[in-house]
Amino acid sequence: MAARRAVAKELSREQIVKVARELFATQGYRAVSMRSIAQKLGYSHGSLYYHFKEKAELFNAIVQEDYRTLQEQMKKSMEQTDTVSRPQHKLESLMETFIHFGLSHPHHYEMMFCSNEPETLEYARPEQDRCYETFASLVREKAGDALQRIGNTFTIPWVIFLSLHGFVVHYIQTKQTYEDVEALVKVHVRFLANQLTGEREA
């Protein structure tokens, strides 16, 4: 038992997550087993259970990292925008950041927002909700007055989020990169931001 525990400790969570991410992305959630992940690592599958009690928990550990990365990038996009910039520009930066993440990391994005495996939903829902709430709070921060005028402070950020999500999923499916559609991205986010703020570009 002690020897088994020592081997399991030698195999780090980081190693497991790195290999599992690659397999989930290329083969899909259902096709990957704890045994196949362990084989790729060169360990027995029992060593994985020292770190993760089931495949769904391992999957969640992967997407948790991705949700944190996306939330950090969204917050940073608002901080890096010139402090004297109009709310429209800050909103455009936020939306562009979301789309850029999705199209630059399509496998990550699909695991985060497009997986419909029942056993992963218990883990995924809270993470998705936290990510959305980060987005919505940033929208309300910069467009709160406009949202109050519209009379819908909570639903409109969700509508914007869905519009961005649909854009990302469409171009993931057509296998186009952010660079391929960058001009269209800018038109899309400018239109959405304008609907919130009522500003017009000079």
Side-chain angles (χ1 to χ4, degrees), residues 40-113:
K40 183 79 171 178
L41 287 159
Y43 284 81
S44 69
H45 69 283
S47 60
L48 271 64
Y49 290 104
Y50 180 83
H51 297 284
F52 302 99
K53 65 182 181 181
E54 59 183 354
K55 184 173 71 167
E57 183 183 17
L58 171 53
F59 183 87
N60 182 60
I62 294 170
V63 295
Q64 272 188 331
E65 289 186 5
D66 296 333
Y67 284 121
R68 281 195 296 268
T69 298
L70 175 55
Q71 290 177 80
E72 288 168 3
Q73 289 183 6
M74 289 192 296
K75 291 175 182 177
K76 189 176 293 185
S77 74
M78 303 288 271
E79 295 167 359
Q80 290 180 338
T81 307
D82 191 331
T83 55
V84 299
S85 293
R86 299 200 305 269
Q88 166 124 1
H89 293 156
K90 290 183 177 291
L91 289 167
E92 288 175 15
S93 178
L94 170 65
M95 295 178 200
E96 281 188 44
T97 296
F98 184 90
I99 293 176
H100 185 273
F101 176 90
L103 296 184
S104 298
H105 306 91
H107 295 311
H108 298 224
Y109 191 90
E110 287 181 320
M111 287 193 289
M112 293 163 67
F113 293 107

Side-chain angles (χ1 to χ4, degrees), residues 146-191:
L147 292 172
Q148 288 181 357
R149 287 197 300 273
I150 295 170
N152 209 325
T153 303
F154 294 96
T155 304
I156 296 300
W158 177 242
V159 171
I160 299 295
F161 185 88
L162 289 177
S163 179
L164 300 177
H165 174 67
F167 188 102
V168 171
V169 170
H170 173 76
Y171 286 107
I172 286 178
Q173 292 175 341
T174 60
K175 300 189 183 305
Q176 296 187 72
T177 67
Y178 179 86
E179 289 70 26
D180 292 334
V181 297
E182 185 173 4
L184 186 56
V185 170
K186 293 187 180 301
V187 172
H188 189 69
V189 303
R190 187 177 300 124
F191 173 80

Side-chain angles (χ1 to χ4, degrees), residues 11-41:
L11 178 62
S12 69
R13 284 176 63 94
E14 290 73 20
Q15 288 174 290
I16 297 170
V17 165
K18 181 179 179 181
V19 168
R21 179 194 295 283
E22 177 186 344
L23 292 177
F24 284 136
T26 56
Q27 299 180 23
Y29 180 81
R30 291 190 184 184
V32 177
S33 66
M34 295 292 268
R35 187 178 296 277
S36 64
I37 296 168
Q39 288 175 343
K40 183 79 171 178
L41 287 159

